[in-house]
């Protein structure tokens, strides 16, 4: 499994840092939705699903967390702890986000609107889906 982590170029100057993300340039798809998680309760595991079509980029813009990626054959854990790093998650990829620091803000850029029909929320169903 190939983990694709983007390193965004900050526009830094003596006032601080600024990162701009443009669709089809810095982000490899059209951004139809942005959402973010914060105040995540200690010990919680979020995600635990895959998408049939959706592509996403995860950016931990404050604090840190870990992301487990699982394509049905292989699992990888990716730490997200820099606001200039973006983890690409393709469709057909099971993901779990955990180990959130208290101050973590995890922003997600998504290629489509929210659609419950695109979710696979059962792990065994995910395995049959990707292996069929
Ligand atoms: P959920 O899918 O459980 O989040 P996670 O992937 O982090 O476990 O979503 C939590 C709630 O938010 C659920 O009621 C669905 C809703 N939601 C939206 O309304 N729009 C969205 O874009 C997302 C991602 C979730």
């Amino acid at each position: 499994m190939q983990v694709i982590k983007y390193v965004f170029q900050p526009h830094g100057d003596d006032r601080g840092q600024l990162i701009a993300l443009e669709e089809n340039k810095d982000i490899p798809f059209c951004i139809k939705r942005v959402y973010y998680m914060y105040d995540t309760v200690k010990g919680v595991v979020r995600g635990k699903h895959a998408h049939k079509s959706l592509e996403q980029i995860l950016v931990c813009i404050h604090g840190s967390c870990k992301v487990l990626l699982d394509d049905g054959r292989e699992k990888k854990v990716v730490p997200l702890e820099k606001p200039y790093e973006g983890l690409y998650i393709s469709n057909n990829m099971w993901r779990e986000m955990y180990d959130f620091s208290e101050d973590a803000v995890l922003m997600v850029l998504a290629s489509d609107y929210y659609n419950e029909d695109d979710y696979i929320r059962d792990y065994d169903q995910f395995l049959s889906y990707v292996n069929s």
Side-chain angles (χ1 to χ4, degrees):
M1 182 205 304
Q2 199 194 353
V3 172
I4 302 175
K5 219 177 191 188
Y6 288 84
V7 178
F8 306 123
Q9 189 60 55
H11 300 273
D13 58 28
D14 53 11
R15 298 168 297 173
Q17 303 297 330
L18 183 154
I19 287 181
L21 302 174
E22 298 191 3
E23 63 181 10
N24 293 328
K25 290 184 186 169
D26 313 280
I27 303 300
F29 49 75
C30 288
I31 302 164
K32 285 215 180 133
R33 178 165 51 112
V34 177
Y35 62 92
Y36 42 91
M37 291 156 230
Y38 61 98
D39 281 354
T40 306
V41 174
K42 202 174 161 64
V44 142
V45 181
R46 299 208 63 140
K48 291 183 164 181
H49 64 253
H51 286 281
K52 296 174 195 161
S53 313
L54 193 76
E55 295 172 87
Q56 296 178 312
I57 295 261
L58 273 58
V59 186
C60 198
I61 54 177
H62 197 254
S64 62
C65 69
K66 290 196 179 77
V67 184
L68 169 84
L69 295 177
D70 178 349
D71 63 4
R73 272 178 286 180
E74 208 185 330
K75 296 179 193 204
K76 282 205 173 151
V77 173
V78 184
L80 283 182
E81 43 204 23
K82 304 286 181 201
Y84 53 79
E85 285 179 346
L87 174 65
Y88 173 75
I89 306 186
S90 67
N91 62 333
N92 298 335
M93 184 73 78
W94 187 266
R95 87 289 312 273
E96 298 184 4
M97 294 85 80
Y98 62 101
D99 257 10
F100 286 85
S101 63
E102 246 175 60
D103 57 350
V105 181
L106 180 62
M107 179 180 74
V108 182
L109 310 178
S111 65
D112 212 341
Y113 302 117
Y114 176 71
N115 173 13
E116 194 56 41
D117 293 342
D118 191 60
Y119 280 75
I120 306 171
R121 291 192 183 271
D122 179 83
Y123 188 68
D124 290 336
Q125 211 179 313
F126 163 70
L127 289 180
S128 355
Y129 188 82
V130 291
N131 292 317
S132 65

